[in-house]
Amino acid sequence: MIGLPANWGLELSVLNFRCGRYAAGAACAVVSILAVNGAWAQEPPAVDAAQRSAQIQEEFQALSGAAEKSRFLLSTDDGKGITFADILRDPDNIVLNFRWAKAQMAQGNIRGASSTLERILILDPDLAPVRLYYAIVLYRLDSLDIAKAQFEKLRALPISPDVAAQIDQYLDAINKRRQRVKQTLSVSFGVHYDTNRNSAPSDNERMVLGSLQTITNTEDRHQSDFGYMGAAHYDITYDLGYQAGHDVFAGVTGYYDDQVRLDNLDVGTASFEIGGHWRSPYLTITPTLIQTAAELDNEKFLTSRGVRVRADWKFRPDTTLWGQTSYFDERYGATPDSSALPLRSGQRYQGKTGATYTWDNQNRTTFGLTLARKEAARSYYTYRSVGAELSHTLLLAGGKYVMGSFSYGVDQYQQPDALVTGNTPMTRKDYPLRARLSYGSNVGNLLEASWFGSDIGQDIYQFIAPVSWSITEEYQATSSNIANYDYDNWRTQLLLSRRWAF
């Protein structure tokens, strides 16, 4: 998925209740933050990984002026329509081989592209652009020793300062990736506007003891509001030294959402996780232990402890099948606004499965199914749910991206709540829907280095250029057979994020 990182453990979707629905809106803000900021993902981050794949073409262009023959190679198409049968008919055709390598890259077959580029260099070892492209592919394949040797060969050639700087960046990245201990710090700040921040019923009616009543209290009707949010995540990973790349990791996350007017909906969370990655050529298994504490209006109301196990199987070069199961023990505490919250305490079981398909270097689609059961201290808070989500990421030139997702599900509760439905046997059934579209890039695309002069100005530019920005529009709604839980909300969000690796 291109969206919430698997090892963050912010399991706040459990806040699907009356007071909890208010907090759930803020939990969605956490999800939005993590989805648009690809740099916060693990293994490497999905957007970052996809961006690196797209940037290979841009980095290859940097050497296009090295020789006339290189310029001719770069003028070829993207390889569409080329097959291996074409290569067999003319195996020594450099241009044909290069087009085939580009086709393999577009299909996600990185290893195949590596072999094809190696064959081109055997035919003509003096093609510096191909050697750079080959070195970048090796870097992506984690063949760091061979990639370093290729970069060093290129570094010794008479190349432009810009290309030399790119190669130095890759050599520095290789040295960092060889470190046994890796650390990352990510920080985000943003602002959002909600049309129905308090999740008030759509028709301004609620059911009490089986009778519909009009909501007359202004504070309980639709309330729009602005909010300011901040989040930080620190992650440390230790490589166990195996060739397969097994590692262990730990991370801590903090988040706070401050409402301008509706202070009773201010939400803060703190989460800690520890786990590891077991890797084989086609399968990665990630077990994680997670603890999360959340507060509403500066009152602690939720402590969640649990475990999650995820498996990713590289079914084909362009297709990854994945599955995830989790268990959480959720304990709610009473707050001044709701003394009944402890009745929602209990266990939550969840299973997810799906597939991610990489169409080419710029397009990736993920489809997933979710089954969950929440057991609570009272049966009218116990429910089963099933849902599906479809998401897509489109990468554009210059590091820009568009991300969209759509999800729909059904939550079926176990028993009626007599305080709501009275003597009627009506059991709550919700149909949650969520649609989101984000567009983002980095600040460097909006600025020119020359605007900042030299020395201190350039230091400022180097600091702010990697900052990513995104704007998100989101629609969230729940259709319910009980008016109390039937609502919708539009959210507009602007986010700035910065990530450091050391």
Side-chain angles (χ1 to χ4, degrees):
M1 158 195 95
I2 300 181
L4 185 64
N7 68 339
W8 277 58
L10 296 178
E11 297 289 336
L12 295 180
S13 59
V14 297
L15 308 179
N16 188 19
F17 48 87
R18 187 69 187 113
C19 175
R21 281 171 65 188
Y22 301 162
C28 292
V30 179
V31 175
S32 299
I33 283 182
L34 304 180
V36 298
N37 180 16
W40 290 24
Q42 65 173 30
E43 66 143 340
V47 172
D48 281 356
Q51 281 182 324
R52 282 196 294 270
S53 178
Q55 288 169 352
I56 287 178
Q57 300 290 342
E58 299 172 8
E59 293 162 337
F60 183 73
Q61 294 287 344
L63 284 174
S64 61
E68 187 67 29
K69 189 173 184 179
S70 298
R71 286 196 294 270
F72 176 71
L73 287 175
L74 289 170
S75 68
T76 61
D77 58 38
D78 60 4
K80 290 183 179 179
I82 301 297
T83 66
F84 189 62
D86 297 322
I87 302 300
L88 292 177
R89 285 192 291 269
D90 193 0
D92 295 334
N93 188 320
I94 291 178
V95 174
L96 190 64
N97 272 273
F98 180 65
R99 293 176 65 199
W100 172 238
K102 295 173 79 173
Q104 290 173 299
M105 286 294 298
Q107 297 165 5
N109 186 1
I110 310 302
R111 294 185 182 277
S114 172
S115 298
T116 302
L117 293 167
E118 187 174 2
R119 184 167 59 251
I120 294 174
L121 290 173
I122 291 174
L123 296 172
D124 191 341
D126 296 328
L127 286 174
V130 175
R131 190 171 297 279
L132 176 62
Y133 198 83
Y134 178 54
I136 295 170
V137 169
L138 290 172
Y139 174 79
R140 290 190 59 211
L141 289 172
D142 280 330
S143 298
L144 301 184
D145 290 335
I146 304 176
K148 182 178 181 180
Q150 295 296 325
F151 282 125
E152 289 176 341
K153 286 182 181 179
L154 286 165
R155 192 63 178 83
L157 297 176
I159 53 180
S160 69
D162 290 342
V163 173
Q166 292 177 20
I167 292 174
D168 289 340
Q169 289 177 2
Y170 273 103
L171 291 172
D172 182 61
I174 289 173
N175 291 332
K176 288 183 178 179
R177 288 178 65 172
R178 281 177 164 170
Q179 295 175 352
R180 298 288 293 275
V181 177
K182 301 180 180 68
Q183 303 174 76
T184 61
L185 173 64
S186 301
V187 178
S188 294
F189 297 97
V191 60
H192 60 85
Y193 173 77
D194 294 89
T195 60
N196 184 14
R197 184 65 187 86
N198 57 335
S199 301
S202 299
D203 295 330
N204 288 319
E205 293 181 332
R206 65 159 62 100
M207 182 177 289
V208 179
L209 297 175
S211 299
L212 279 178
Q213 299 180 4
T214 300
I215 300 175
T216 57
N217 189 343
T218 303
E219 293 181 355
D220 292 334
R221 298 169 74 94
H222 289 206
Q223 295 285 320
S224 61
D225 200 5
F226 284 93
Y228 301 97
M229 54 193 175
H233 175 71
Y234 169 76
D235 183 87
I236 182 169
T237 302
Y238 179 73
D239 190 332
L240 296 176
Y242 292 91
Q243 185 173 358
H246 311 317
D247 61 46
V248 293
F249 62 83
V252 60
T253 304
Y255 168 80
Y256 193 76
D257 188 351
D258 180 55
Q259 297 300 129
V260 174
R261 294 190 304 106
L262 306 177
D263 292 333
N264 62 316
L265 300 183
D266 293 345
V267 172
T269 68
S271 178
F272 175 77
E273 64 189 14
I274 184 170
H277 298 102
W278 179 89
R279 293 185 172 93
S280 73
Y282 300 101
L283 182 67
T284 299
I285 298 177
T286 309
T288 310
L289 297 174
I290 304 163
Q291 174 163 327
T292 299
E295 62 177 30
L296 180 64
D297 193 17
N298 297 315
E299 295 285 343
K300 184 177 179 180
F301 77 102
L302 171 63
T303 299
S304 173
R305 300 181 180 92
V307 59
R308 179 174 57 237
V309 179
R310 179 183 173 101
D312 294 87
W313 175 31
K314 195 74 171 178
F315 177 67
R316 291 174 45 186
D318 55 7
T319 306
T320 298
L321 304 180
W322 52 269
Q324 175 180 297
T325 183
S326 61
Y327 163 82
F328 286 90
D329 180 65
E330 300 167 339
R331 298 294 159 182
Y332 292 90
T335 68
D337 290 336
S338 179
S339 60
L341 280 177
L343 300 180
R344 307 174 188 274
S345 298
Q347 288 71 46
R348 179 179 175 86
Y349 308 87
Q350 187 178 71
K352 293 183 177 182
T353 187
T356 299
Y357 181 74
T358 303
W359 301 86
D360 51 39
N361 289 342
Q362 286 76 43
N363 291 273
R364 180 155 63 176
T365 301
T366 295
F367 176 76
L369 293 172
T370 301
L371 295 174
R373 175 177 173 81
K374 171 62 189 294
E375 295 181 351
R378 293 293 184 269
S379 59
Y380 46 82
Y381 291 136
T382 295
Y383 66 90
R384 286 188 172 91
S385 66
V386 59
E389 180 174 11
L390 180 68
S391 63
H392 185 81
T393 296
L394 169 65
L395 298 174
L396 305 171
K400 305 178 184 67
Y401 63 86
V402 178
M403 300 174 64
S405 66
F406 178 84
S407 64
Y408 187 75
V410 180
D411 299 335
Q412 177 66 65
Y413 286 75
Q414 183 171 305
Q415 296 291 336
D417 182 352
L419 292 178
V420 176
T421 60
N423 294 325
T424 65
M426 185 183 298
T427 302
R428 178 181 169 185
K429 193 172 187 178
D430 295 346
Y431 299 88
L433 175 151
R434 186 182 183 194
R436 182 177 60 208
L437 184 65
S438 299
Y439 175 78
S441 182
N442 58 67
V443 174
N445 286 329
L446 305 176
L447 306 173
E448 294 288 344
S450 58
W451 298 351
F452 291 80
S454 59
D455 299 332
I456 296 178
Q458 287 301 309
D459 291 338
I460 295 174
Y461 175 77
Q462 292 301 323
F463 179 81
I464 65 175
V467 172
S468 64
W469 62 268
S470 64
I471 184 167
T472 299
E473 188 67 27
E474 178 182 271
Y475 177 71
Q476 187 172 9
T478 293
S479 298
S480 179
N481 62 334
I482 298 177
N484 305 35
Y485 313 108
D486 198 298
Y487 80 103
D488 65 353
N489 176 62
W490 283 95
R491 162 172 288 202
T492 302
Q493 175 179 286
L494 176 65
L495 186 72
L496 298 175
S497 303
R498 182 70 156 84
R499 180 178 183 269
W500 294 266
F502 46 94

